[in-house]
Amino acid sequence: MKYSRKLLNQNSTQHQHQQLAFDIYNDTLGEQTLKKLFHKPVNRLYLYIDTWFNLAFGTVNNPLYHLGSLAFFLLWIVLISGLYVFILFDTSIMGAYQSVEYMTHEQWYLGGVMRSLHRYASDAIIIVILLHIMREFSLDRYRGFRWFSWFTGVPNLWMMILLGITGYWLVWDQLAQYVAIGSSKLLDVLPIFSSSMTRNFLSGQLSDRFFTLMAFIHLLGLPVALVFGLWIHVKRLTKVEIFVPRGLAIGSFLALLVLSLVKPVVSHEQADLAVIPEVLHLDWFYLNIYPLLDYWTAGQVWMLTTGITLLLMVMPWIPIKRDPKIAEVNLDHCNGCGQCFDDCPFDAISMQARTDGARWKMEATVIPELCAGCGICVGSCPYSNPFRRSDVQLTTGIDTPEYSVQKMRRATKDGVSALKEQPLKIVLFGCNHGLDVSEIEEPDVATIRLPCTGMLPPGFIDYALKNGADGVFVSGCRSGDCYYRLGNSWMEKRIRGERVPLLRKNVDRQRVDVFGAAEIDKDQLLREIANFRQRLLNNKSSDSSSTTEKEA
């Protein structure tokens, strides 16, 4: 992907609008088609749902912003409830069903609730995973440098489904019988067993040993494999969120608990291999392929599931995404502070021993295959200081070659200069993945688009104000939903003085505003800018009144 700088003058009868942008302009035909037909429609649906969730839960507790940590939280519920169920569970064929019935009816107040929590939390995990897949697909966060997380997530989905399937076996009711026989038909097609597994389910031929093996797979084998798979899944990310916000955790648990009390999970009749079950209540989250065996052969079902799996795994390369060029380190301006290393969301920067003989101990090194080219590291570098001599090329310790801090400084200065005839001057910094700020056609607003608002060094806000801007407005992705995971969060914390590099304390915060906006939020962003404009005008009026009083 390539960024180009363009200066646009848009004339109208009312005003002249000034834009400065660094836009991505060379998407391939395949990428344009993918975005038009698939990404944008799904993303708009997701954004409308997201808007309602923000109204209902607030941005802090919006479950769509915490799908990963919510899945971990639900796994903890499944684990803890499963451990209690296992204490009461009998792993023999004759005792399994009776032990489950005992905890469901005799000890309904604890064992029954735990069983229901186990079931409903397991279903909720699949819902969360499907939402996660939809979200990453709609936002195009699965291709390019992100291929690894998507690719490794597919096996984890299958392990979750296998955990659910083996869990239904252990109840050993008529549904378990149906699942067991269907699974045996599927396994018999594979050339890995010397004899037909289906024979094990002929009356009288299923042993306690086989049943204990299934319990071992469900209770230990698959969970261990899943933990290892999840570790690999997030291996290329830093600061992975595994703890869900307290409000969301409490709300999710209470919802599952109420559901468990209102509609407790019950079993079918006990399995009888001599009888074919007539009525079954399937869990469609886990058992959706089994009804196909009534119409298709096991081989055809395997072809379908294998085809879907392969399609999911190759999607990051349909078509191949061209990412921005990776960040580059300039050792002449790198003091080895490690802030870029700490801020990188994708573990693409490592700190190593100095190689140039400088007095600093460490130096930053970019790992090419992990770098997103987002520029967040540029915003974290203390050398990204626009106040250095304007007649000298601005060079920082780490920079993106396609959109350097030198270009950013020039764009900021040009943006303020373009508004010199306006009574009020607002510089609006946006990003390439939130609302396209170039659509904001206001006579007193100069727009500058960045790859990510996390790329904006706090000093540039001060620089714009010192060069004549009355206010600086920053609008990236929606708060908590950054395309590059942490960019807008780091930017907001730097402005609030909670993360280095800090926006200087003497900068008037009344002249700075932040509002995250997606593509459907244009009207809301315009209202926020209007409120910001009015605030600046009020401040100007107050300052003028104070000056007049002093002179009098």
Side-chain angles (χ1 to χ4, degrees):
M1 300 179 114
K2 186 176 179 182
Y3 294 89
S4 69
R5 181 175 181 275
K6 62 182 181 179
L7 183 62
L8 304 176
N9 293 314
Q10 298 183 345
N11 296 305
S12 70
T13 57
Q14 296 181 340
H15 64 264
Q16 185 181 55
H17 172 61
Q18 193 76 29
Q19 297 179 14
L20 292 127
F22 291 77
D23 299 328
I24 297 172
Y25 67 88
N26 65 336
D27 281 349
T28 64
L29 179 61
E31 287 181 300
Q32 293 173 3
T33 303
L34 179 67
K35 291 177 180 180
K36 181 179 180 181
L37 297 182
F38 297 101
H39 290 165
K40 285 190 176 296
V42 178
N43 187 37
R44 291 187 73 84
L45 173 63
Y46 160 75
L47 288 173
Y48 282 116
I49 296 173
D50 179 48
T51 300
W52 284 105
F53 273 45
N54 277 333
L55 292 174
F57 304 105
T59 56
V60 174
N61 292 311
N62 186 338
L64 295 179
Y65 295 165
H66 306 281
L67 293 173
S69 58
L70 185 56
F72 279 112
F73 176 71
L74 293 170
L75 278 172
W76 276 110
I77 295 178
V78 170
L79 174 63
I80 294 171
S81 59
L83 287 174
Y84 185 84
V85 169
F86 177 66
I87 293 173
L88 301 178
F89 185 70
D90 187 335
T91 58
S92 67
I93 296 175
M94 299 305 296
Y97 182 81
Q98 297 303 325
S99 64
V100 173
E101 286 297 282
Y102 166 77
M103 71 179 75
T104 302
H105 300 288
E106 298 297 322
Q107 202 192 87
W108 64 268
Y109 52 87
L110 187 55
V113 170
M114 285 294 189
R115 181 194 178 189
S116 297
L117 280 174
H118 192 69
R119 157 73 184 278
Y120 290 133
S122 298
D123 286 348
I125 289 175
I126 298 299
I127 295 174
V128 168
I129 291 174
L130 293 178
L131 286 173
H132 183 55
I133 291 173
M134 183 190 84
R135 181 171 181 257
E136 299 307 294
F137 174 80
S138 68
L139 297 173
D140 196 13
R141 296 199 291 211
Y142 65 97
R143 298 187 300 139
F145 70 95
R146 280 186 162 105
W147 73 268
F148 183 83
S149 295
W150 179 278
F151 186 84
T152 56
V154 177
N156 289 330
L157 173 60
W158 273 114
M159 280 190 280
M160 278 301 310
I161 293 174
L162 288 175
L163 267 170
I165 291 173
T166 54
Y168 277 104
W169 279 45
L170 298 180
V171 179
W172 203 233
D173 59 359
Q174 290 182 346
L175 180 60
Q177 176 183 326
Y178 172 76
V179 172
I181 293 175
S183 299
S184 299
K185 290 179 181 178
L186 291 170
L187 291 174
D188 282 342
V189 176
L190 303 178
I192 57 177
F193 299 101
S194 58
S195 60
S196 173
M197 284 195 65
T198 309
R199 295 175 185 172
N200 289 318
F201 296 95
L202 297 175
S203 183
Q205 293 192 19
L206 189 63
S207 66
D208 287 348
R209 183 178 178 183
F210 182 81
F211 204 76
T212 302
L213 174 62
M214 292 306 304
F216 173 81
I217 292 174
H218 179 74
L219 298 169
L220 188 61
L222 284 173
V224 170
L226 180 61
V227 169
F228 182 70
L230 290 173
W231 174 74
I232 293 177
H233 180 59
V234 300
K235 190 175 183 298
R236 290 191 173 189
L237 304 177
T238 60
K239 297 174 177 61
V240 177
E241 185 184 56
I242 60 174
F243 296 108
V244 71
R246 182 178 298 179
L248 181 57
I250 294 173
S252 301
F253 177 75
L254 289 178
L256 292 172
L257 181 61
V258 170
L259 182 60
S260 300
L261 292 171
V262 173
K263 190 175 177 59
V265 174
V266 295
S267 306
H268 293 70
E269 294 297 321
Q270 187 169 6
D272 184 347
L273 295 173
V275 177
I276 298 177
E278 295 183 0
V279 179
L280 296 173
H281 304 289
L282 292 180
D283 182 344
W284 290 96
F285 292 110
Y286 289 96
L287 309 178
N288 46 70
I289 66 168
Y290 287 93
L292 293 176
L293 291 170
D294 296 333
Y295 306 96
W296 294 0
T297 66
Q300 290 173 324
V301 174
W302 271 116
M303 289 177 63
L304 175 65
T305 54
T306 303
I308 293 175
T309 302
L310 291 177
L311 175 62
L312 286 172
M313 297 186 80
V314 301
M315 277 178 61
W317 297 277
I318 305 177
I320 294 176
K321 184 177 182 179
R322 291 177 290 177
D323 291 316
K325 291 182 179 180
I326 66 172
E328 297 175 352
V329 176
N330 186 334
L331 289 181
D332 291 338
H333 294 82
C334 176
N335 63 7
C337 67
Q339 191 59 43
C340 58
F341 164 77
D342 194 48
D343 280 2
C344 180
F346 304 104
D347 203 21
I349 298 176
S350 64
M351 300 303 296
Q352 300 180 0
R354 204 75 188 192
T355 59
D356 61 349
R359 61 190 179 92
W360 315 109
K361 291 183 179 180
M362 306 296 288
E363 66 180 42
T365 303
V366 177
I367 304 172
E369 61 271 20
L370 302 183
C371 182
C374 60
I376 292 175
C377 53
V378 179
S380 68
C381 184
Y383 279 87
S384 299
N385 180 3
F387 288 102
R388 290 156 64 187
R389 289 175 53 187
S390 59
D391 59 332
V392 177
Q393 178 80 13
L394 180 58
T395 307
T396 186
I398 187 166
D399 210 347
T400 51
E402 292 177 312
Y403 189 11
S404 64
V405 288
Q406 171 65 19
K407 292 181 179 179
M408 196 192 310
R409 182 171 69 173
R410 188 187 312 129
T412 304
K413 191 170 184 179
D414 291 349
V416 176
S417 299
L419 302 175
K420 61 183 180 180
E421 302 298 329
Q422 298 296 329
L424 195 72
K425 306 173 186 64
I426 299 174
V427 175
L428 170 60
F429 289 99
C431 84
N432 280 327
H433 302 284
L435 175 70
D436 184 355
V437 294
S438 63
E439 297 178 5
I440 305 301
E441 300 181 356
E442 298 290 321
D444 55 358
V445 178
T447 61
I448 302 173
R449 285 211 303 174
L450 309 175
C452 175
T453 53
M455 183 184 185
L456 180 66
F460 274 75
I461 296 175
D462 194 12
Y463 182 77
L465 297 174
K466 290 285 179 63
N467 277 272
D470 295 296
V472 174
F473 199 105
V474 185
S475 178
C477 301
R478 285 181 173 178
S479 182
D481 193 29
C482 178
Y483 181 84
Y484 291 113
R485 295 186 61 232
L486 303 171
N488 57 7
S489 178
W490 289 167
M491 177 269 298
E492 291 173 15
K493 288 185 176 182
R494 291 167 188 164
I495 292 176
R496 293 196 301 264
E498 299 173 1
R499 190 174 188 87
V500 294
L502 310 175
L503 179 61
R504 294 195 304 176
K505 291 183 178 180
N506 62 354
V507 175
D508 185 1
R509 264 53 176 186
Q510 290 296 311
R511 299 173 65 189
V512 182
D513 206 350
V514 178
F515 178 77
E519 62 176 291
I520 64 172
D521 299 329
K522 181 178 178 180
D523 290 341
Q524 192 172 357
L525 178 58
L526 287 172
R527 287 194 295 270
E528 293 293 330
I529 293 174
N531 293 336
F532 182 56
R533 179 185 295 112
Q534 188 60 50
R535 190 171 80 207
L536 294 175
L537 289 172
N538 292 340
N539 291 342
K540 268 195 166 187
S541 177
S542 299
D543 292 342
S544 299
S545 299
S546 300
T547 302
T548 303
E549 290 177 2
K550 289 180 180 179
E551 290 177 352

